[in-house]
Amino acid sequence: MTLDLSCPDWFEKLKDGRSPLPDHLPIDREEADAAVVVFNKLRLPDVPGQPLLRDVAGQWARDFVSAIFGLVEMSEDRSVIINRPVRKFFQLVPKKNSKTTNGAAIMMTALLRNRRPNAEFLLVGPTQATAELAYDQAKGMVDADPWLKKRFHTKDHVKTIEDRKNGAKLKVKSFDSKVMTGVKPVGVLVDELHELGTIAYAAKVMSQIDGGILANPEGFVIIITTQSVEPPAGVFKSELDLARAVRDGEFTEGETLPMLYEFPAAMQSDESKPWENPKHWPLVLPNINRSVTIGRLLPKFREAKEKGVGDFSIWASQHLNVEIGIAINGTSWRGAHFWEGAKDDRLQDLDELIERSEVAVVGVDGGGLDDLLAAAVIGRCKTTRRWLHWSHAWCQRDVLDLRKDIASRLQDIADLGQLTFCDDTVADILGVADVCERIRDAGLLPKAGGIGFDPQGVAAIIDELASRGMGDPLLVSVSQGFRLSPAVWGLERKLKDGTFSHGGQDLMTFSVGNAKVIQRGNAVVVEKQTSGKAKIDPLIATFAAVTLMSRNPEAAPAFDAEAWIESYA
């Protein structure tokens, strides 16, 4: 049976101080209430007096417990769980909201409500140390209660809590594909999933976890995480996107229940930044006035803002769950500040740009076989003369092994159709030529200066374009380094004054966020080596196209293929 797990009124619930969970969930109240009783009797181990969670935990935490343990189908005699219509629970909550403590308490509740002999429950984190934080909290709960100390045997040397009554165990596992292979747990808590976005094998491990719980009808996975300090990527992005799609009713066939404490996208992207106002912070701080207060957050908020946008972006992502669209920091390109505001989603399709443009130019940039090769198209709108932008990139497939630190992000972009992995050494060259040919055949390329390249290492592309009738004077070199300064400054201005639009492609968000600027005399330089291993080729290709469009080109007459073939022969 597929349940409706959507919660379209989630923001209204946040404003009312209620949990952002659907009201129509078919919760088994007997199971849910029994689990809440257990949860309430656990003690907070690292607070003076070790109070009961009944007295210090928020209602939002109990609502989450009710959903986890109440969304079950019981046998007629209620002795066993025969099915879980919801097997995954995704909670996005800022730091300092008892995230790890509540997670540990939920897993202790699972141990105490468990009916399966020798069942295995796992605490998993991006690092062993992260997973052990939850273990330490769970162990502290055992040590704080004499009855629990008799019931459970804690083995610190192997980070395991064992139920002396039925042999069930709660243990720490590292997030590793070898460690997770063959594991068939009843329940898994995955903490801080956002830190796994850049790990190439993370999706494989999560798949193993999801598959492992299927062996048990009562199996479940709980993900508790904050936002990422970089634009969401990899397995974190895919899980977060799914959770949002379920919450918003866009995906109705899944078995993931989201509980997301975040501001609406419009509120986060608003240039006035309403989320910076402390009066709005309680919306995303469910444990407000318990483990966290506005007064304790304000000093660090002010310090981070004073240090610059880089530190401030990280603070906001961790303490208010503000998603970083472009990873801006103190050395970032100035245009990055205005990039998000220039989006026109229709321009994700090159055909849209072609249809709306009176003339178009192509910039190309890329390095060796371990790099990206990028093409950026800028068209000039027929009616408004606004500049319209589209881009694509190619890379050899073995880049995923050579650049493991960004492999997950590249795969995400490829899944969106904005990057092509090449299994042939010339496939990227052919791809760039195909884009140029499409613009030429649409009658949009100018007669001269329509395709711009970095003058270094482009012989293969030039040969391919020449074989298709695109040679001098159409092809021009665009010098790099400080000579790109006019394009860098010019694009900044057009982004700010609203005369440049782009498709909001993840490829460009990634590239723009990676761009770091250095001052060289009176010029500015955006250099690949300044950005380290991160890729900025699509942005450099864009600057090349800006250089060409700044010359105010006019489209050449339509290309006559037959005449060219005759002259070429």
Side-chain angles (χ1 to χ4, degrees):
M1 177 181 66
T2 300
L3 298 181
D4 177 9
L5 302 177
S6 65
C7 187
D9 59 341
W10 63 274
F11 190 51
E12 295 302 317
K13 288 178 178 290
L14 292 184
K15 289 190 287 187
D16 292 341
R18 294 180 291 153
S19 300
L21 293 172
D23 294 324
H24 52 264
L25 295 176
I27 289 178
D28 184 312
R29 289 311 328 170
E30 185 173 336
E31 285 297 303
D33 293 346
V36 169
V37 167
V38 172
F39 178 85
N40 281 339
K41 288 183 177 179
L42 296 171
R43 291 187 176 275
L44 203 58
D46 53 357
V47 171
Q50 297 182 319
L52 295 170
L53 290 181
R54 177 194 65 196
D55 300 321
V56 295
Q59 183 57 41
W60 69 281
R62 281 182 279 273
D63 291 342
F64 196 48
V65 171
S66 292
I68 293 170
F69 294 95
L71 286 171
V72 294
E73 296 173 9
M74 305 299 298
S75 61
E76 288 189 11
D77 61 359
R78 304 194 66 82
S79 61
V80 295
I81 297 171
I82 60 174
N83 183 43
R84 273 189 178 273
V86 178
R87 286 183 171 269
K88 183 180 286 185
F89 303 84
F90 187 103
Q91 187 182 81
L92 184 73
V93 62
K95 286 186 179 299
K96 308 305 178 185
N97 280 270
S98 295
K99 174 176 59 63
T100 299
T101 298
N102 287 345
I106 289 171
M107 296 308 284
M108 284 303 303
T109 301
L111 265 183
L112 287 159
R113 293 294 299 158
N114 170 58
R115 298 166 169 90
R116 182 179 293 275
N118 302 311
E120 188 172 52
F121 297 86
L122 304 180
L123 301 171
V124 180
T127 64
Q128 188 80 2
T130 299
E132 287 178 6
L133 289 175
Y135 169 82
D136 291 342
Q137 290 295 91
K139 177 183 180 297
M141 293 173 186
V142 172
D143 292 340
D145 188 299
W147 185 86
L148 292 182
K149 287 195 71 172
K150 292 180 181 179
R151 172 78 178 263
F152 295 103
H153 180 204
T154 56
K155 304 176 182 179
D156 290 349
H157 63 293
V158 289
K159 302 300 179 184
T160 299
I161 299 175
E162 182 176 356
D163 189 340
R164 291 188 173 101
K165 182 177 179 181
N166 61 14
K169 298 178 180 65
L170 174 63
K171 59 176 63 174
V172 170
K173 285 279 189 179
S174 60
F175 199 89
D176 183 271
S177 56
K178 294 179 181 178
V179 174
M180 296 305 302
T181 300
V183 172
K184 298 179 180 179
V186 171
V188 182
L189 173 70
V190 181
D191 199 5
E192 301 291 20
L193 185 70
H194 74 276
E195 294 184 12
L196 297 167
T198 59
I199 299 178
Y201 59 80
K204 178 180 179 181
V205 179
M206 280 302 300
S207 179
Q208 290 174 334
I209 292 174
D210 289 341
I213 65 168
L214 295 178
N216 303 306
E218 72 272 37
F220 64 87
V221 177
I222 303 170
I223 297 172
I224 302 180
T225 184
T226 61
Q227 253 297 349
S228 172
V229 297
E230 296 179 348
V235 68
F236 173 65
K237 183 179 188 301
S238 61
E239 293 288 354
L240 178 59
D241 287 349
L242 173 63
R244 287 171 172 164
V246 172
R247 177 196 64 188
D248 298 338
E250 298 170 2
F251 181 68
T252 58
E253 300 298 320
E255 53 179 15
T256 297
L257 179 66
M259 188 181 196
L260 311 179
Y261 284 91
E262 61 179 358
F263 297 112
M267 193 171 175
Q268 295 188 50
S269 61
D270 189 328
E271 290 187 7
S272 66
K273 294 183 173 57
W275 52 266
E276 289 188 17
N277 190 329
K279 76 176 185 179
H280 296 309
W281 294 358
L283 296 173
V284 296
L285 300 175
N287 229 44
I288 189 73
N289 296 327
R290 295 184 180 90
S291 61
V292 64
T293 66
I294 301 297
R296 289 201 293 270
L297 287 176
L298 276 172
K300 291 299 181 183
F301 163 78
R302 293 169 180 144
E303 287 180 10
K305 196 166 186 180
E306 179 65 24
K307 289 178 181 177
V309 289
D311 290 270
F312 186 52
S313 295
I314 293 173
W315 185 91
S317 72
Q318 297 301 283
H319 294 281
L320 298 178
N321 274 346
V322 174
E323 182 173 323
I324 298 179
I326 298 177
I328 300 172
N329 62 40
T331 60
S332 67
W333 171 50
R334 179 63 178 160
H337 296 256
F338 313 110
W339 189 261
E340 287 292 301
K343 284 197 303 185
D344 179 346
D345 291 334
R346 296 171 296 173
L347 291 172
Q348 293 201 22
D349 187 347
L350 180 56
D351 288 335
E352 175 74 14
L353 182 148
I354 291 173
E355 175 64 28
R356 291 164 60 181
S357 298
E358 62 181 2
V359 64
V361 295
V362 184
V364 180
D365 185 76
L369 294 177
D370 64 343
D371 208 349
L372 301 186
L373 179 61
V377 180
I378 293 180
R380 192 171 65 218
C381 181
K382 300 173 185 177
T383 56
T384 66
R385 294 184 67 83
R386 177 191 298 271
W387 290 10
L388 312 175
H389 174 274
W390 174 91
S391 67
H392 195 86
W394 296 259
C395 72
Q396 299 298 313
R397 191 172 297 278
D398 54 11
V399 169
L400 291 173
D401 295 320
L402 297 171
R403 298 283 187 259
K404 291 185 181 295
D405 54 332
I406 58 171
S408 294
R409 192 68 194 276
L410 294 180
Q411 185 62 64
D412 290 342
I413 296 170
D415 291 343
L416 294 171
Q418 299 166 13
L419 182 147
T420 300
F421 291 120
C422 304
D423 297 308
D424 186 292
T425 54
V426 299
D428 49 357
I429 302 296
L430 298 178
V432 169
D434 288 344
V435 169
C436 295
E437 195 169 43
R438 283 184 66 186
I439 304 302
R440 189 271 311 273
D441 291 350
L444 296 180
L445 282 179
K447 187 174 183 179
I451 304 174
F453 295 89
D454 178 347
Q456 303 296 322
V458 296
I461 301 176
I462 291 176
D463 289 345
E464 179 61 30
L465 289 173
S467 73
R468 303 187 189 197
M470 291 176 282
D472 291 335
L474 183 60
L475 307 183
V476 295
S477 66
V478 178
S479 297
Q480 306 291 293
F482 73 91
R483 293 183 179 86
L484 272 179
S485 293
V488 175
W489 293 325
L491 184 52
E492 289 173 2
R493 183 171 293 277
K494 292 192 74 65
L495 283 164
K496 186 173 183 179
D497 68 18
T499 58
F500 181 95
S501 298
H502 61 83
Q505 294 171 294
D506 280 30
L507 172 67
M508 288 304 302
T509 299
F510 174 59
S511 182
V512 170
N514 291 334
K516 308 297 185 289
V517 176
I518 60 174
Q519 192 77 26
R520 185 168 295 171
N522 291 326
V524 293
V525 181
V526 180
E527 294 181 334
K528 295 176 185 178
Q529 57 265 36
T530 306
S531 296
K533 295 179 180 179
K535 300 302 178 185
I536 61 171
D537 308 272
L539 181 60
I540 300 299
T542 298
F543 289 145
V546 167
T547 299
L548 301 184
M549 187 57 76
S550 297
R551 298 170 182 173
N552 195 30
E554 297 296 330
F559 177 68
D560 189 335
E562 292 184 3
W564 173 78
I565 293 173
E566 183 177 337
S567 64
Y568 189 74

